[in-house]
Structure formats: structure tokens, C-alpha cells
PDB file of all heavy atoms in Angstrom:
ATOM      1  N   GLY A  53      91.133  94.017 127.189  1.00  0.00           N
ATOM      2  CA  GLY A  53      91.598  95.251 126.528  1.00  0.00           C
ATOM      3  C   GLY A  53      92.402  95.054 125.281  1.00  0.00           C
ATOM      4  O   GLY A  53      93.208  95.905 124.923  1.00  0.00           O
ATOM      5  N   LEU A  54      92.218  93.960 124.574  1.00  0.00           N
ATOM      6  CA  LEU A  54      93.004  93.703 123.349  1.00  0.00           C
ATOM      7  C   LEU A  54      92.191  93.939 122.100  1.00  0.00           C
ATOM      8  O   LEU A  54      92.641  93.692 121.005  1.00  0.00           O
ATOM      9  CB  LEU A  54      93.501  92.257 123.333  1.00  0.00           C
ATOM     10  CG  LEU A  54      94.567  91.858 124.301  1.00  0.00           C
ATOM     11  CD1 LEU A  54      94.740  90.378 124.294  1.00  0.00           C
ATOM     12  CD2 LEU A  54      95.891  92.589 123.978  1.00  0.00           C
ATOM     13  N   ILE A  55      90.930  94.387 122.283  1.00  0.00           N
ATOM     14  CA  ILE A  55      89.989  94.399 121.171  1.00  0.00           C
ATOM     15  C   ILE A  55      90.474  95.358 120.049  1.00  0.00           C
ATOM     16  O   ILE A  55      90.312  95.066 118.856  1.00  0.00           O
ATOM     17  CB  ILE A  55      88.550  94.801 121.660  1.00  0.00           C
ATOM     18  CG1 ILE A  55      87.544  94.458 120.616  1.00  0.00           C
ATOM     19  CG2 ILE A  55      88.481  96.227 122.088  1.00  0.00           C
ATOM     20  CD1 ILE A  55      87.163  93.032 120.558  1.00  0.00           C
ATOM     21  N   ARG A  56      91.094  96.418 120.447  1.00  0.00           N
ATOM     22  CA  ARG A  56      91.542  97.386 119.431  1.00  0.00           C
ATOM     23  C   ARG A  56      92.691  96.830 118.599  1.00  0.00           C
ATOM     24  O   ARG A  56      92.663  96.938 117.381  1.00  0.00           O
ATOM     25  CB  ARG A  56      91.995  98.649 120.207  1.00  0.00           C
ATOM     26  CG  ARG A  56      92.342  99.775 119.328  1.00  0.00           C
ATOM     27  CD  ARG A  56      92.696 100.998 120.143  1.00  0.00           C
ATOM     28  NE  ARG A  56      93.343 101.965 119.337  1.00  0.00           N
ATOM     29  CZ  ARG A  56      93.882 103.062 119.814  1.00  0.00           C
ATOM     30  NH1 ARG A  56      93.866 103.292 121.118  1.00  0.00           N
ATOM     31  NH2 ARG A  56      94.504 103.896 119.026  1.00  0.00           N
ATOM     32  N   GLU A  57      93.637  96.221 119.288  1.00  0.00           N
ATOM     33  CA  GLU A  57      94.773  95.606 118.618  1.00  0.00           C
ATOM     34  C   GLU A  57      94.278  94.527 117.639  1.00  0.00           C
ATOM     35  O   GLU A  57      94.721  94.381 116.501  1.00  0.00           O
ATOM     36  CB  GLU A  57      95.658  94.932 119.655  1.00  0.00           C
ATOM     37  CG  GLU A  57      97.128  95.165 119.513  1.00  0.00           C
ATOM     38  CD  GLU A  57      97.871  94.562 120.664  1.00  0.00           C
ATOM     39  OE1 GLU A  57      97.511  94.789 121.818  1.00  0.00           O
ATOM     40  OE2 GLU A  57      98.833  93.800 120.408  1.00  0.00           O
ATOM     41  N   PHE A  58      93.324  93.696 118.183  1.00  0.00           N
ATOM     42  CA  PHE A  58      92.788  92.600 117.376  1.00  0.00           C
ATOM     43  C   PHE A  58      92.026  93.168 116.144  1.00  0.00           C
ATOM     44  O   PHE A  58      92.160  92.690 115.034  1.00  0.00           O
ATOM     45  CB  PHE A  58      91.861  91.705 118.228  1.00  0.00           C
ATOM     46  CG  PHE A  58      91.136  90.663 117.477  1.00  0.00           C
ATOM     47  CD1 PHE A  58      91.843  89.671 116.768  1.00  0.00           C
ATOM     48  CD2 PHE A  58      89.733  90.608 117.442  1.00  0.00           C
ATOM     49  CE1 PHE A  58      91.196  88.686 116.061  1.00  0.00           C
ATOM     50  CE2 PHE A  58      89.083  89.623 116.732  1.00  0.00           C
ATOM     51  CZ  PHE A  58      89.815  88.658 116.064  1.00  0.00           C
ATOM     52  N   GLY A  59      91.230  94.250 116.401  1.00  0.00           N
ATOM     53  CA  GLY A  59      90.468  94.893 115.324  1.00  0.00           C
ATOM     54  C   GLY A  59      91.376  95.416 114.232  1.00  0.00           C
ATOM     55  O   GLY A  59      91.110  95.248 113.045  1.00  0.00           O
ATOM     56  N   ASN A  60      92.467  96.067 114.625  1.00  0.00           N
ATOM     57  CA  ASN A  60      93.449  96.615 113.665  1.00  0.00           C
ATOM     58  C   ASN A  60      94.043  95.487 112.835  1.00  0.00           C
ATOM     59  O   ASN A  60      94.258  95.615 111.622  1.00  0.00           O
ATOM     60  CB  ASN A  60      94.574  97.367 114.382  1.00  0.00           C
ATOM     61  CG  ASN A  60      94.067  98.708 114.938  1.00  0.00           C
ATOM     62  OD1 ASN A  60      92.997  99.203 114.503  1.00  0.00           O
ATOM     63  ND2 ASN A  60      94.815  99.302 115.853  1.00  0.00           N
ATOM     64  N   PHE A  61      94.372  94.390 113.534  1.00  0.00           N
ATOM     65  CA  PHE A  61      94.953  93.224 112.904  1.00  0.00           C
ATOM     66  C   PHE A  61      94.042  92.721 111.777  1.00  0.00           C
ATOM     67  O   PHE A  61      94.446  92.492 110.653  1.00  0.00           O
ATOM     68  CB  PHE A  61      95.245  92.189 113.943  1.00  0.00           C
ATOM     69  CG  PHE A  61      95.654  90.832 113.374  1.00  0.00           C
ATOM     70  CD1 PHE A  61      96.914  90.604 112.886  1.00  0.00           C
ATOM     71  CD2 PHE A  61      94.723  89.827 113.297  1.00  0.00           C
ATOM     72  CE1 PHE A  61      97.298  89.366 112.400  1.00  0.00           C
ATOM     73  CE2 PHE A  61      95.073  88.575 112.802  1.00  0.00           C
ATOM     74  CZ  PHE A  61      96.373  88.393 112.294  1.00  0.00           C
ATOM     75  N   VAL A  62      92.792  92.532 112.143  1.00  0.00           N
ATOM     76  CA  VAL A  62      91.790  91.948 111.204  1.00  0.00           C
ATOM     77  C   VAL A  62      91.615  92.886 110.028  1.00  0.00           C
ATOM     78  O   VAL A  62      91.564  92.471 108.838  1.00  0.00           O
ATOM     79  CB  VAL A  62      90.450  91.617 111.840  1.00  0.00           C
ATOM     80  CG1 VAL A  62      89.387  91.225 110.863  1.00  0.00           C
ATOM     81  CG2 VAL A  62      90.662  90.497 112.903  1.00  0.00           C
ATOM     82  N   LEU A  63      91.527  94.212 110.321  1.00  0.00           N
ATOM     83  CA  LEU A  63      91.288  95.164 109.245  1.00  0.00           C
ATOM     84  C   LEU A  63      92.477  95.198 108.293  1.00  0.00           C
ATOM     85  O   LEU A  63      92.291  95.225 107.058  1.00  0.00           O
ATOM     86  CB  LEU A  63      91.058  96.524 109.898  1.00  0.00           C
ATOM     87  CG  LEU A  63      90.204  97.527 109.168  1.00  0.00           C
ATOM     88  CD1 LEU A  63      88.869  96.941 108.711  1.00  0.00           C
ATOM     89  CD2 LEU A  63      89.928  98.765 110.029  1.00  0.00           C
ATOM     90  N   SER A  64      93.687  95.208 108.811  1.00  0.00           N
ATOM     91  CA  SER A  64      94.825  95.270 107.932  1.00  0.00           C
ATOM     92  C   SER A  64      94.984  94.013 107.115  1.00  0.00           C
ATOM     93  O   SER A  64      95.317  94.049 105.931  1.00  0.00           O
ATOM     94  CB  SER A  64      96.126  95.622 108.683  1.00  0.00           C
ATOM     95  OG  SER A  64      96.422  94.632 109.632  1.00  0.00           O
ATOM     96  N   LYS A  65      94.673  92.845 107.710  1.00  0.00           N
ATOM     97  CA  LYS A  65      94.698  91.590 106.934  1.00  0.00           C
ATOM     98  C   LYS A  65      93.635  91.641 105.868  1.00  0.00           C
ATOM     99  O   LYS A  65      93.906  91.165 104.721  1.00  0.00           O
ATOM    100  CB  LYS A  65      94.402  90.418 107.871  1.00  0.00           C
ATOM    101  CG  LYS A  65      95.634  89.762 108.477  1.00  0.00           C
ATOM    102  CD  LYS A  65      95.553  88.259 108.266  1.00  0.00           C
ATOM    103  CE  LYS A  65      96.492  87.429 108.990  1.00  0.00           C
ATOM    104  NZ  LYS A  65      97.746  87.047 108.459  1.00  0.00           N
ATOM    105  N   GLY A  66      92.451  92.155 106.160  1.00  0.00           N
ATOM    106  CA  GLY A  66      91.383  92.240 105.209  1.00  0.00           C
ATOM    107  C   GLY A  66      91.683  93.148 104.047  1.00  0.00           C
ATOM    108  O   GLY A  66      91.466  92.774 102.870  1.00  0.00           O
ATOM    109  N   VAL A  67      92.259  94.289 104.323  1.00  0.00           N
ATOM    110  CA  VAL A  67      92.580  95.236 103.239  1.00  0.00           C
ATOM    111  C   VAL A  67      93.694  94.676 102.354  1.00  0.00           C
ATOM    112  O   VAL A  67      93.661  94.770 101.148  1.00  0.00           O
ATOM    113  CB  VAL A  67      92.970  96.615 103.794  1.00  0.00           C
ATOM    114  CG1 VAL A  67      93.494  97.569 102.705  1.00  0.00           C
ATOM    115  CG2 VAL A  67      91.750  97.274 104.492  1.00  0.00           C
ATOM    116  N   ALA A  68      94.632  93.995 102.983  1.00  0.00           N
ATOM    117  CA  ALA A  68      95.703  93.308 102.180  1.00  0.00           C
ATOM    118  C   ALA A  68      95.118  92.264 101.241  1.00  0.00           C
ATOM    119  O   ALA A  68      95.562  92.081 100.117  1.00  0.00           O
ATOM    120  CB  ALA A  68      96.761  92.698 103.118  1.00  0.00           C
ATOM    121  N   GLN A  69      94.102  91.542 101.762  1.00  0.00           N
ATOM    122  CA  GLN A  69      93.448  90.525 100.950  1.00  0.00           C
ATOM    123  C   GLN A  69      92.697  91.172  99.770  1.00  0.00           C
ATOM    124  O   GLN A  69      92.837  90.691  98.631  1.00  0.00           O
ATOM    125  CB  GLN A  69      92.400  89.775 101.804  1.00  0.00           C
ATOM    126  CG  GLN A  69      91.633  88.724 101.012  1.00  0.00           C
ATOM    127  CD  GLN A  69      92.488  87.589 100.535  1.00  0.00           C
ATOM    128  OE1 GLN A  69      93.003  86.831 101.328  1.00  0.00           O
ATOM    129  NE2 GLN A  69      92.696  87.514  99.249  1.00  0.00           N
ATOM    130  N   LEU A  70      92.047  92.285 100.014  1.00  0.00           N
ATOM    131  CA  LEU A  70      91.379  92.979  98.898  1.00  0.00           C
ATOM    132  C   LEU A  70      92.366  93.396  97.827  1.00  0.00           C
ATOM    133  O   LEU A  70      92.078  93.332  96.660  1.00  0.00           O
ATOM    134  CB  LEU A  70      90.635  94.228  99.435  1.00  0.00           C
ATOM    135  CG  LEU A  70      89.187  94.090  99.841  1.00  0.00           C
ATOM    136  CD1 LEU A  70      88.671  95.417 100.382  1.00  0.00           C
ATOM    137  CD2 LEU A  70      88.319  93.652  98.675  1.00  0.00           C
ATOM    138  N   ALA A  71      93.529  93.844  98.286  1.00  0.00           N
ATOM    139  CA  ALA A  71      94.589  94.274  97.363  1.00  0.00           C
ATOM    140  C   ALA A  71      95.009  93.099  96.498  1.00  0.00           C
ATOM    141  O   ALA A  71      95.225  93.242  95.282  1.00  0.00           O
ATOM    142  CB  ALA A  71      95.772  94.862  98.115  1.00  0.00           C
ATOM    143  N   ARG A  72      95.157  91.896  97.102  1.00  0.00           N
ATOM    144  CA  ARG A  72      95.511  90.706  96.339  1.00  0.00           C
ATOM    145  C   ARG A  72      94.414  90.362  95.320  1.00  0.00           C
ATOM    146  O   ARG A  72      94.697  89.997  94.179  1.00  0.00           O
ATOM    147  CB  ARG A  72      95.800  89.512  97.232  1.00  0.00           C
ATOM    148  CG  ARG A  72      97.108  89.652  98.000  1.00  0.00           C
ATOM    149  CD  ARG A  72      97.587  88.345  98.625  1.00  0.00           C
ATOM    150  NE  ARG A  72      96.706  87.840  99.662  1.00  0.00           N
ATOM    151  CZ  ARG A  72      96.738  88.264 100.931  1.00  0.00           C
ATOM    152  NH1 ARG A  72      97.526  89.250 101.297  1.00  0.00           N
ATOM    153  NH2 ARG A  72      95.885  87.745 101.840  1.00  0.00           N
ATOM    154  N   TRP A  73      93.149  90.443  95.763  1.00  0.00           N
ATOM    155  CA  TRP A  73      92.062  90.110  94.849  1.00  0.00           C
ATOM    156  C   TRP A  73      92.040  91.087  93.685  1.00  0.00           C
ATOM    157  O   TRP A  73      91.757  90.747  92.544  1.00  0.00           O
ATOM    158  CB  TRP A  73      90.729  90.178  95.583  1.00  0.00           C
ATOM    159  CG  TRP A  73      90.470  89.014  96.466  1.00  0.00           C
ATOM    160  CD1 TRP A  73      91.086  87.796  96.413  1.00  0.00           C
ATOM    161  CD2 TRP A  73      89.437  88.871  97.469  1.00  0.00           C
ATOM    162  NE1 TRP A  73      90.577  86.926  97.369  1.00  0.00           N
ATOM    163  CE2 TRP A  73      89.548  87.584  98.021  1.00  0.00           C
ATOM    164  CE3 TRP A  73      88.491  89.731  97.979  1.00  0.00           C
ATOM    165  CZ2 TRP A  73      88.735  87.120  99.036  1.00  0.00           C
ATOM    166  CZ3 TRP A  73      87.650  89.296  99.005  1.00  0.00           C
ATOM    167  CH2 TRP A  73      87.792  87.985  99.508  1.00  0.00           C
ATOM    168  N   GLN A  74      92.326  92.365  94.002  1.00  0.00           N
ATOM    169  CA  GLN A  74      92.242  93.399  92.952  1.00  0.00           C
ATOM    170  C   GLN A  74      93.305  93.152  91.861  1.00  0.00           C
ATOM    171  O   GLN A  74      93.099  93.625  90.747  1.00  0.00           O
ATOM    172  CB  GLN A  74      92.530  94.775  93.622  1.00  0.00           C
ATOM    173  CG  GLN A  74      91.400  95.728  93.367  1.00  0.00           C
ATOM    174  CD  GLN A  74      91.604  97.066  94.131  1.00  0.00           C
ATOM    175  OE1 GLN A  74      90.789  97.431  94.939  1.00  0.00           O
ATOM    176  NE2 GLN A  74      92.686  97.741  93.844  1.00  0.00           N
ATOM    177  N   ARG A  75      94.371  92.484  92.202  1.00  0.00           N
ATOM    178  CA  ARG A  75      95.457  92.255  91.210  1.00  0.00           C
ATOM    179  C   ARG A  75      95.126  91.109  90.248  1.00  0.00           C
ATOM    180  O   ARG A  75      95.872  90.878  89.329  1.00  0.00           O
ATOM    181  CB  ARG A  75      96.784  92.017  91.901  1.00  0.00           C
ATOM    182  CG  ARG A  75      97.360  93.202  92.606  1.00  0.00           C
ATOM    183  CD  ARG A  75      98.810  93.084  92.946  1.00  0.00           C
ATOM    184  NE  ARG A  75      99.038  92.119  94.022  1.00  0.00           N
ATOM    185  CZ  ARG A  75      99.035  92.466  95.357  1.00  0.00           C
ATOM    186  NH1 ARG A  75      98.776  93.713  95.678  1.00  0.00           N
ATOM    187  NH2 ARG A  75      99.290  91.558  96.238  1.00  0.00           N
ATOM    188  N   ASP A  76      94.073  90.376  90.507  1.00  0.00           N
ATOM    189  CA  ASP A  76      93.748  89.200  89.685  1.00  0.00           C
ATOM    190  C   ASP A  76      92.399  89.436  88.996  1.00  0.00           C
ATOM    191  O   ASP A  76      91.407  89.752  89.667  1.00  0.00           O
ATOM    192  CB  ASP A  76      93.715  87.979  90.604  1.00  0.00           C
ATOM    193  CG  ASP A  76      93.464  86.691  89.799  1.00  0.00           C
ATOM    194  OD1 ASP A  76      92.904  86.769  88.684  1.00  0.00           O
ATOM    195  OD2 ASP A  76      93.793  85.614  90.288  1.00  0.00           O
ATOM    196  N   GLU A  77      92.399  89.309  87.681  1.00  0.00           N
ATOM    197  CA  GLU A  77      91.157  89.566  86.929  1.00  0.00           C
ATOM    198  C   GLU A  77      89.964  88.789  87.431  1.00  0.00           C
ATOM    199  O   GLU A  77      88.862  89.297  87.420  1.00  0.00           O
ATOM    200  CB  GLU A  77      91.430  89.202  85.464  1.00  0.00           C
ATOM    201  CG  GLU A  77      90.935  90.204  84.498  1.00  0.00           C
ATOM    202  CD  GLU A  77      91.430  89.937  83.071  1.00  0.00           C
ATOM    203  OE1 GLU A  77      92.561  90.334  82.755  1.00  0.00           O
ATOM    204  OE2 GLU A  77      90.655  89.299  82.306  1.00  0.00           O
ATOM    205  N   ALA A  78      90.223  87.540  87.861  1.00  0.00           N
ATOM    206  CA  ALA A  78      89.101  86.693  88.268  1.00  0.00           C
ATOM    207  C   ALA A  78      88.420  87.188  89.553  1.00  0.00           C
ATOM    208  O   ALA A  78      87.224  86.934  89.774  1.00  0.00           O
ATOM    209  CB  ALA A  78      89.583  85.230  88.440  1.00  0.00           C
TER     210      ALA A  78
END
């Protein structure tokens, strides 16, 4: 029963990564 917690974790890490990519022109 940890799938939801794990899913939220991966999604928030992923969105944070996109934000970092967005800040760099490359």
C-alpha cells in the first residue's frame, strides 16, 4: 500500500527536474 506515496514522490521529483531544465537554455 505504498504505491501512492511512491507515485507522488516520483512525480514531484520529476516536476522539480523539469523546472531545473527549464531554467537552462541548453
